[in-house]
Every structure is written in C-alpha cells, then in structure tokens.
Amino acid sequence: DAGVTQSPTHLIKTRGQQVTLRCSPKSGHDTVSWYQQALGQGPQFIFQYYEEEERQRGNFPDRFSGHQYPNYSSELNVNALLLGDSALYLCASSSTGQGQETQYFGPGTRLLVL
Amino acid sequence: QKEVEQDPGPLSVPEGAIVSLNCTYSNSAFQYFMWYRQYSRKGPELLMYTYSSGNKEDGRFTAQVDKSSKYISLFIRDSQPSDSATYLCAMSVQGAQKLVFGQGTRLTINP
C-alpha cells in the first residue's frame, strides 16, 4: 500500500520565481492538506483540499494557492518567491469518511529560495 | 502566545531510560491529540492518536491527555537509540481540518 508521495524531493529557486509542488495521497484517502515547516519549527497549516475545493486556509498570503484533481492528487503553487519561503513543504492525506483528524504525511519537498 | 507550547530541548537520555515529553495548549476547543515522530530530513510519522482525555498505550509508548490542565504527555519506556528523533505534538478541534503543532522536541538516546 503506497503511502503519501511528493515530488520533487528538493528544489532550488531564486527570488521572484514561481514553484509547483505535487502530492499523491495515500490509497483510499480523499483529503489533502499542505503544511510549511521552517527549520527547527513545527509544521504550519497552509490549506486543505476536499472534493477539488479549498475547504480551510491557514494564515498564508494569496501567493500560496493550490489545486486538487479528480484522482485526489494535489498541487501547491507559490508565486513571487521570497527568501522566507525556504522550508520543507509537507503534504498530508486523510479520509473524510474515517475522520479528518488522522493525517498521514509524505516525505516532503525541501525548497530553497536564493 | 502560541496555541501549542512544546519545549524544543534538546533532550539527551541513556538507552533504557523512561522518556517524558510534554505539550501545553491554550485552546480549550481542541479535542484530538496526536504525537508524531520525525527523523532528520523526513516527514512526520503518526505515533499516537487520542480523543479527549485519558490514556492510550501502544507497546513502549503511552499518551496521556489532561484537558482540565490543557496538558498532554508522551512516555517512552525502555528507550532505544532508534527512538532518537524529533517528537511533535499536534492537536485539532473536532470537525476542524487543520492540525496545530508544537515546535517539536529533539530527543537523543545514547547507547
């Protein structure tokens, strides 16, 4: 049973560029959440997607946007990158029918903005 | 003040010791409490999941929730070097979507 997968594993961008990160949820899961984890900090909630719509959003600017596809996979897009966007970006999946509280995380995408 | 407070450590103990990790929180609406383990440069792995107050045991791990004190704990018995990792507490409101995490405690078990 494949767990949550994310691509790419690492990414280097320069300030002002745009980036797209991808996530495939665990088999049987239909809900995808995205988190940002700065070095030495706990993950911070960005937003969650269910039924191809953004259901809840954390305290992140509009530069952060997302999408969910009919197969439940998801993308996180960040525009106009800032140095402070350098972090580990985590995708977590869950199943709405089984309770949204149990979220399983992928390995993350490490983004470095120069 | 952060919603969830967790001592970042680092915490270093000898192999075989009992480890106690703790978090406090301010939002009384939290109903679901989780502990995740995160190895270096990896994603968090769900260890324990508890609803409301009480204790839950799974092998060498015990999770405790005291909602009256807004305090949760994770105990690790017979600690092993492979337990060396960062431990994150996380919480959510019933029916809510987002998890709120503590800062994480970095734990090292010395052989």
Side-chain angles (χ1 to χ4, degrees):
Chain A
D1 179 23
V4 180
T5 59
Q6 292 186 243
S7 63
T9 55
H10 297 83
L11 206 52
I12 300 175
K13 292 286 187 178
T14 57
R15 280 180 298 173
Q17 284 189 314
Q18 178 264 343
V19 68
T20 297
L21 310 181
R22 295 177 174 82
C23 171
S24 292
K26 184 178 168 68
S27 178
H29 286 184
D30 56 10
T31 304
V32 173
S33 303
W34 286 92
Y35 293 80
Q36 180 195 65
Q37 186 176 24
L39 197 61
Q41 301 297 316
Q44 298 288 317
F45 176 79
I46 303 175
F47 42 55
Q48 184 181 79
Y49 275 84
Y50 172 66
E51 292 189 336
E52 302 179 48
E53 291 191 358
E54 182 183 293
R55 184 158 60 175
Q56 191 178 19
R57 188 179 184 92
N59 189 25
F60 279 80
D62 292 344
R63 298 187 298 109
F64 290 77
S65 63
H67 187 80
Q68 186 179 35
Y69 294 93
N71 67 352
Y72 309 121
S73 67
S74 177
E75 289 180 352
L76 164 65
N77 301 292
V78 187
N79 294 322
L81 284 167
L82 304 174
L83 296 179
D85 295 332
S86 295
L88 180 67
Y89 287 86
L90 295 162
C91 169
S93 74
S94 55
S95 174
T96 296
Q98 295 177 12
Q100 304 153 11
E101 296 77 15
T102 306
Q103 296 186 21
Y104 295 87
F105 284 82
T109 294
R110 191 164 298 276
L111 173 64
L112 177 62
V113 182
L114 300 176
Chain B
Q1 182 186 6
K2 293 182 179 180
E3 275 190 292
V4 180
E5 297 278 0
Q6 183 176 10
D7 186 341
L11 180 62
S12 182
V13 302
E15 183 176 355
I18 296 175
V19 176
S20 173
L21 304 169
N22 312 294
C23 288
T24 59
Y25 61 95
S26 57
N27 187 351
S28 58
F30 286 139
Q31 294 277 1
Y32 295 84
F33 304 91
M34 285 134 284
W35 287 95
Y36 286 85
R37 177 174 64 194
Q38 186 173 27
Y39 292 113
S40 181
R41 309 187 78 81
K42 302 290 185 183
E45 171 193 9
L46 180 64
L47 273 180
M48 300 288 285
Y49 166 73
T50 307
Y51 169 69
S52 193
S53 288
N55 295 355
K56 186 172 184 178
E57 186 174 324
D58 184 2
R60 297 186 295 112
F61 299 90
T62 299
Q64 290 185 351
V65 175
D66 182 350
K67 292 189 69 179
S68 62
S69 301
K70 297 190 179 69
Y71 186 88
I72 70 170
S73 300
L74 177 70
F75 297 95
I76 306 174
R77 294 182 298 279
D78 187 25
S79 57
Q80 304 294 313
S82 59
D83 295 328
S84 298
T86 295
Y87 288 80
L88 296 155
C89 64
M91 310 175 189
S92 67
V93 176
Q94 184 175 9
Q97 289 81 41
K98 73 174 187 180
L99 293 177
V100 181
F101 283 85
Q103 183 177 352
T105 299
R106 187 172 177 182
L107 172 67
T108 299
I109 309 297
N110 300 302

